[in-house]
Amino acid sequence: MAFDYDLFVIGAGSGGVRAARIASSHGARVAVAEEYRVGGTCVIRGCVPKKLLVYGSHFAEDLADAQRFGWNTTGATFDWPTLRDNVASEVDRLEGLYGQTLGNAKVEIFRQRAVIAGPNLVRLADGTEVSAANILIATGAWPSIPDIPGAEFGITSNEVFHLQQLPKRAVIAGAGYIANEFAGIFNELGVEVTLVTRGDKMLRSYDQEIVEKLVGISREKGIDIRFNFKCPAIRQQADGSFMVESGDGADVETDLVLFAIGRVPKTKDLGLEALGVALDKDGAVIVDEYNRTNVAGVFAVGDVTNRVQLTPVAIREGHAFADTVFGKNPRTIDYGAIPTAVFSNPPIAGVGLTEEEARATLGDVKVYKSDFRAMKNVLAGRNERALYKMIVDGKTDKVVGLHLIGPDSAEILQAAAIAVKAGLTKQAFDDTVALHPSMAEELVLMK
């Protein structure tokens, strides 16, 4: 049977764009459909604009610290529309580059919604139907909204980048990286922040000693963190503000409610169920190690599979898919020792096993720590301390985990993650000469 395309990709995010580009480089005829903007969550409404807001918010502390370094910053002010609009302009620029990349790769772009209409068949929003030998689902994930009265009064990370003005007060609901990052951003920009979660912990996948350090520092910076906050309802008040109910009488009055309670795979109404594509209880597309679904010719990569919701992982999955299907080079992804970071204030970063995981799986574990104050903080008169942890297998001396909280943790961890991935030993760290004076030198000085 002759098909219109060798590959049709639904979703032009990081995974979909990489898959389309690489498949085309292997000689495939490729098309991509995107219902919103090319670039996906990361570029348009996720890690890129959020990291720019993180940079912008850090100037609050930097300007205050600068005075101890001899700089006169009297009269410095902040203007939200300037930051918001400049970030939006950068997003526009990046979207253009993504579209240009697809164009240069001779990938046809349909800027409209697409769904699966049958075996090897895709229907576009304008009614056009096209056939494809292979269909790749790369639609990503979408913010969750709680099923409570008044949920319509809240916003998500999709809308937060477009606020007309900063609120005086904000309640952020969530315990993950998005909640903690926006708590830090808003707090530094002068917003009175209350961070609430239904559970008794933040950032469950991270080393809990590091997380406890973040919670303590966040509270010292003025963020009101409340655990076991049930939030049964939200009420709008006569003056336009909101009352976020706690379930125990400790309600919070606020001007903005931001939901950051997780993200669910975006598979609704894509035609997957009708075709018989298997989904899990959360709506994620179930795939094997080669990104194949249970239906021949249908594949999925990225957040829509709910394996690891990270942009670099989606990119690798998309690349491996294209090499496997069109490049005659079957490849799978190794999901072990993936470095991750939370761009909170201060940031945390980790790779490998946490102390809790290592003790549960290895038994014989050695933990090395360095609790110190960064040189810059010392001169600035800031008492904020950093904490680095190294988790070592007691039997083999291999470093199986690294976990950091402190300035530039993510930048420092990237190189160190190579050592964990490579299975280097604690002795290898000890044998490495320290780069002095730096925070990173603490990684080779722990005893």
Side-chain angles (χ1 to χ4, degrees), residues 362 364 392-400 423-427:
L362 301 177
D364 186 4
V392 177
D393 186 334
K395 296 184 180 67
T396 64
D397 195 44
K398 284 186 178 181
V399 178
V400 295
L424 298 188
T425 63
K426 174 67 165 63
Q427 190 61 51

Side-chain angles (χ1 to χ4, degrees), residues 233-250:
I234 300 170
R235 294 180 283 109
Q236 186 168 31
Q237 304 187 115
D239 63 355
S241 64
F242 306 102
M243 185 65 72
V244 181
E245 297 181 5
S246 65
D248 61 5

